[in-house]
């Protein structure tokens, strides 16, 4: 072998050894983050890793002359500098709420449960028919602010005579945070009951979308909460309990996931601190109450772009290149840790089917053609709730049923209005309970 090649091999070997040492220290640090649950903003893992790394470097250099004795410390210094970024906040650690919306006033109501929630009221339009039953909207998330798209849909319903109220569930949007251990699906149901009581206008009609549909479904299974409702609309629900959450089944027609252009804008996950924190949380290696980042800091850091392909999955494939902006950067709010915590309490919950079978509140189920939700999440509710009077399968839309495209908002509003006013449905009643097996086979 030529001498130049030998020198290159030796140089490459000398280069790779420090790089391998750096990588090893980084892996050890991340493993300790998981083992210590991010204690002390990650400093417990950081100090342990580099205390051990320094001791090892001293041991490796003990027989070397003075300048060469410093060489083993180089990977330690590099790795320490890289991983220190995981321990340093880059956003405020106290909660920053979104600024006020220009088109609707934000009220704050203190509920009997102890939650303090942001409330929005769209009074019925002055002209036309005024609906006598108050209308309450439960948005999806969970623990996410109400998007501008949702606000526009609520304005549309108010324009049709509904007295519309919406509130951001505790921890979401402009609502106050809860201690992490208090984020549970049961707390969400209790907050709904307390909100209706605080509204003090008698029975209400409720529209629950996505995780809001889960809260509504579980409320229907609780007679004391269901007694406060006039009619219920469950739109594109998530899993209602543990047995349902563990179903892996069919989904709707092809969504825009993987077809739509990547979301633009800043991502917190490109910052090492939040990439590590949110990544390990998603993997279940950090608890939602991790010591690495506080709840408020995580909320402040998370951006719409961090949702990645989740947004595209809420639209049909045919809409991949015209997905609307669902929200503004100023209004967007999502609590990743609290959301995971609520979802886990759903997964841990026993079956509510026996209680749901006793429901007597008139209800309607809305299912989207291109839904990214597991079909059995909706059909389980249809099978177990005898008070569901009709199912409306909306063609041409994904999970985000009212999305401002074409006439989708008007079609969704027509379906909801027809049910709430006990008028003939604009779409066939499909699937019925008897049609569930065939409906699921169609989506194999």
């Amino acid at each position: 072998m030529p001498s130049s090649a030998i020198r290159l091999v030796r140089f490459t070997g000398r280069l790779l050894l420090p790089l391998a040492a750096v990588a090893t220290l980084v892996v050890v640090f991340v493993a300790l983050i998981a083992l210590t649950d991010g204690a002390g903003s990650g400093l417990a893992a950081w100090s342990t890793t580099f205390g051990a790394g320094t001791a090892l470097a001293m041991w490796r250099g003990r027989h070397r002359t003075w300048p060469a004795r410093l060489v083993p410390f180089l990977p330690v210094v590099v790795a320490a500098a890289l991983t220190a970024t995981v321990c340093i906040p880059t956003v405020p650690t106290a909660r920053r709420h979104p600024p006020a919306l220009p088109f609707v006033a934000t009220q704050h109501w203190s509920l009997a449960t102890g939650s303090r929630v942001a409330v929005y009221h769209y009074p019925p339009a002055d002209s036309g028919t005024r609906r006598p039953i108050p209308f309450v909207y439960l948005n999806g998330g969970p623990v996410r602010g109400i998007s501008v798209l949702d606000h526009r849909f609520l304005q549309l319903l108010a324009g049709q005579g509904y007295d519309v109220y919406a509130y951001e569930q505790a921890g979401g949007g402009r609502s106050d945070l809860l201690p992490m251990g208090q984020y549970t699906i049961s707390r969400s149901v209790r907050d709904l009951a307390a909100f209706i009581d605080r509204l003090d206008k008698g029975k209400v009609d409720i529209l629950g979308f996505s995780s809001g549909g889960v809260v509504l479904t579980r409320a229907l299974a609780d007679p004391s909460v269901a007694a406060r409702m006039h009619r219920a609309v469950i739109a594109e629900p998530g899993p209602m309990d543990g047995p349902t959450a563990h179903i892996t089944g069919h989904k709707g027609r092809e969504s825009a996931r993987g077809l739509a252009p990547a979301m633009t804008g800043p991502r917190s996950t490109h910052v090492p601190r939040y990439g590590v924190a949110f990544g390990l949380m998603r993997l279940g290696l950090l608890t939602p109450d991790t010591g690495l980042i506080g709840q408020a800091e995580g909320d402040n850091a998370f951006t719409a772009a961090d949702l990645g392909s989740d947004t595209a999955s809420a639209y049909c494939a045919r809409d991949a290149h015209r997905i609307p902006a669902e929200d503004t950067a100023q209004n967007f709010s999502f609590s990743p840790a609290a959301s995971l915590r609520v979802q886990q309490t759903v997964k841990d919950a026993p079956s509510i089917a026996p209680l749901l079978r006793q429901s007597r509140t008139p209800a309607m189920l809305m299912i989207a053609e291109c839904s990214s939700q597991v079909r059995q999440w909706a059909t389980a509710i249809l099978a177990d709730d005898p008070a569901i009077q009709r199912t409306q399968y909306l063609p041409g839309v994904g999970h985000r049923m009212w999305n401002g495209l074409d006439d989708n908002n008007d079609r969704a509003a027509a379906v909801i209005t027809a049910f709430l006013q006990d008028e003939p449905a604009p779409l066939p009643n499909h699937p019925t309970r008897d049609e569930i097996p065939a409906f699921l086979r169609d989506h194999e």
Side-chain angles (χ1 to χ4, degrees), residues 301-389:
F302 203 87
T303 69
D306 287 323
L307 294 174
S309 59
D310 284 355
T311 298
S313 70
Y315 293 82
C316 290
R318 66 178 72 95
D319 295 326
H321 294 281
R322 60 170 194 153
I323 293 176
E326 294 189 353
D327 213 345
T328 63
Q330 295 75 24
N331 186 61
F332 177 82
S333 172
F334 181 70
S335 179
S339 180
L340 288 172
R341 164 75 182 164
V342 173
Q343 292 177 61
Q344 188 60 51
T345 65
V346 174
K347 293 176 183 177
D348 295 340
S351 173
I352 64 168
L355 295 172
L356 192 59
R357 292 185 190 119
Q358 301 173 37
S359 176
R360 297 296 178 264
T361 305
M364 178 178 72
L365 185 63
M366 296 175 70
I367 303 176
E369 177 186 9
C370 310
S371 177
S372 55
Q373 307 286 80
V374 174
R375 288 301 196 195
Q376 285 92 330
W377 294 349
T379 58
I381 297 172
L382 176 60
D384 291 326
D385 186 350
I388 291 181
Q389 298 180 348

Side-chain angles (χ1 to χ4, degrees), residues 90-129:
T90 60
V91 300
T93 56
R95 182 70 175 107
R96 293 183 307 179
H97 293 290
L101 291 164
F103 49 80
V104 64
T106 305
Q107 306 173 50
H108 285 92
W109 290 7
S110 295
L111 305 181
T113 56
S115 298
R116 186 170 181 269
V117 297
V119 181
Y120 309 94
H121 180 209
Y122 291 101
D126 292 334
S127 58
T129 305

Side-chain angles (χ1 to χ4, degrees), residues 221-296:
D222 184 331
S224 65
V225 184
R228 297 167 167 89
M229 302 182 208
H230 176 250
R231 288 190 170 226
V233 178
I234 305 166
E236 281 287 288
M240 62 182 180
D241 53 25
T244 314
H246 290 93
I247 292 175
T248 56
H250 315 296
K251 297 186 179 182
R253 309 296 182 200
E254 185 182 13
S255 77
R257 182 187 288 270
L259 302 174
M263 289 191 70
T264 58
R267 296 186 181 219
S268 70
T269 47
H270 289 171
V271 178
R273 178 172 176 82
Y274 307 113
V276 170
F278 296 145
L280 293 181
M281 270 193 249
R282 285 291 295 269
L283 293 171
L285 298 177
L286 284 181
T287 67
D289 204 16
T290 175
L292 182 57
I293 61 171
Q295 178 188 171

Side-chain angles (χ1 to χ4, degrees), residues 182-249:
Q182 294 186 27
Y183 289 107
T184 66
I185 191 62
S186 298
R187 174 61 171 265
S188 299
V189 174
R190 293 196 302 273
D191 279 352
L192 171 60
F195 178 83
I196 299 171
D197 290 345
R198 174 69 171 75
L199 183 59
D200 194 24
K201 291 194 174 186
K203 289 190 174 185
V204 300
D205 292 328
I206 302 184
L207 167 62
F209 167 66
S210 192
S211 63
V214 177
V215 176
L216 179 52
T217 300
R218 295 184 67 90
L220 291 171
D222 184 331
S224 65
V225 184
R228 297 167 167 89
M229 302 182 208
H230 176 250
R231 288 190 170 226
V233 178
I234 305 166
E236 281 287 288
M240 62 182 180
D241 53 25
T244 314
H246 290 93
I247 292 175
T248 56

